[in-house]
Amino acid sequence: MNFHLLFVTWNVDPVFFSVGSFEIRYYGLLWALTFGVGMILFINMIKREGYQEKMFDSIFWFGTLSTIIGARLGHCLFYEPGYYLSHPIEILNLRQGGLASHGAAIGLLIGLWLFSRKNKMPYIWSLDRITLPVSIGGAFVRFGNLLNSEIYGTVTTLPWGFNFVRDAAWYLPVAEGGSGSMPAHPTQIYEALAYIAIFVLLMWMYYKKDLARKRPGLIFGVFLILLFTARFFIEFIKNPQEDFEVGMSLYMGQILSIPFILAGIVILIWALRHKPAVPAKK
């Protein structure tokens, strides 16, 4: 990685460790870190609220599996439906990459609904508390994208522009969705910093103000609005992820963010008007 006056040449090997054809990538490690930190946060919340720790095993597996399945299906169906519907077995080929954050969000919502139904817990209880692991986890995943030299932005003259020399698309002309070998916005860092700021705010709302108990739904509503609004606006300076997005007024990530923002507004208004009962401890 070489620093110059007006740009950063980003040439980091995405492989952390390899033996023969077997390799471990930073991206995979950061996904593992996401689940590890999420596990610690949830155990802490469960203990803090006086619930039995066995509840954690249930929510961890519902949350983990649904997130991974949703992220993979989201990429396949939102960004490359033609290919994967014609080659459905390739959906299982995770080594080829392709995980979509909006798909992960949808999968997680379904997984938490199943968890809440199984454990007879209010759905909003799960939604409020999952926001902390998800917001910091989103930052880890974006740093993983940085190490993969992927999902970066448009050409910039700002001094922190990155030359993503390991990505073939970086060399493509701007008209074809590339950067023309010019420095680009490191939007992975922009998003990661936004998610860290959201995480700090949500931690304050949960631990300092106890809003998950006092105003169920408030934390989740704020989370949806802030996270997907940040994603929506940062997309304006991103390069398209797929060929079909070239020339679109709004990219797929922005289109998929709008329903989440609207849902956050509705949930926030509902939370400010209602005070649902606190669930009994299990």
Side-chain angles (χ1 to χ4, degrees), residues 11-25:
N11 192 23
V12 176
D13 188 343
V15 178
F16 171 70
F17 175 78
S18 65
V19 176
S21 61
F22 175 78
E23 61 184 29
I24 295 177
R25 292 176 168 255

Side-chain angles (χ1 to χ4, degrees), residues 23-249:
E23 61 184 29
I24 295 177
R25 292 176 168 255
Y26 288 107
Y27 185 71
L29 290 176
L30 284 162
W31 264 96
L33 181 62
T34 294
F35 290 118
V37 171
M39 177 178 67
I40 293 170
L41 286 169
F42 240 109
I43 289 176
N44 181 272
M45 286 186 281
I46 287 172
K47 288 182 178 179
R48 180 177 183 267
E49 298 183 30
Y51 293 99
Q52 295 182 20
E53 287 190 41
K54 66 180 182 180
M55 183 188 296
F56 166 75
D57 293 332
S58 178
I59 198 167
F60 177 77
W61 287 112
F62 273 111
T64 300
L65 293 176
S66 63
T67 298
I68 294 173
I69 293 171
R72 182 57 177 163
L73 289 177
H75 171 79
C76 297
L77 299 179
F78 296 153
Y79 292 96
E80 299 183 70
Y83 175 78
Y84 285 104
L85 290 177
S86 300
H87 306 83
I89 194 66
E90 287 297 312
I91 294 175
L92 302 177
N93 190 4
L94 294 177
R95 292 191 64 182
Q96 293 299 317
L99 299 173
S101 57
H102 292 90
I106 295 170
L108 183 57
L109 290 174
I110 295 172
L112 292 178
W113 178 79
L114 293 172
F115 160 80
S116 301
R117 184 175 181 181
K118 179 178 183 295
N119 290 275
K120 296 181 173 59
M121 295 287 289
Y123 188 29
I124 202 65
W125 182 94
S126 304
L127 296 177
D128 274 335
R129 287 149 186 83
I130 201 64
T131 59
L132 275 67
V134 169
S135 54
I136 192 61
F140 294 149
V141 171
R142 282 299 175 245
F143 282 126
N145 295 136
L146 176 65
L147 291 165
N148 271 350
S149 296
E150 62 185 3
I151 313 182
Y152 48 87
T154 54
V155 171
T156 181
T157 57
L158 292 172
W160 53 81
F162 276 45
N163 286 334
F164 291 98
V165 296
R166 283 183 175 264
D167 184 38
W170 179 74
Y171 298 92
L172 293 175
V174 174
E176 296 179 19
S179 300
S181 302
M182 298 291 289
H185 283 286
T187 48
Q188 314 97 323
I189 297 177
Y190 301 169
E191 280 195 63
L193 293 177
Y195 297 162
I196 290 171
I198 293 169
F199 171 72
V200 171
L201 173 63
L202 298 180
M203 288 281 285
W204 176 78
M205 294 175 71
Y206 177 81
Y207 284 101
K208 187 69 175 179
K209 293 299 182 179
D210 198 22
L211 290 175
R213 184 181 64 83
K214 294 177 181 177
R215 287 285 187 181
L218 183 66
I219 291 178
F220 184 61
V222 169
F223 162 80
L224 287 179
I225 294 169
L226 292 182
L227 188 139
F228 287 101
T229 297
R231 174 73 186 271
F232 182 87
F233 283 107
I234 292 173
E235 288 278 333
F236 279 116
I237 54 171
K238 272 188 184 178
N239 273 333
Q241 294 185 48
E242 301 295 338
D243 292 341
F244 74 85
E245 293 182 297
V246 176
M248 292 176 63
S249 299

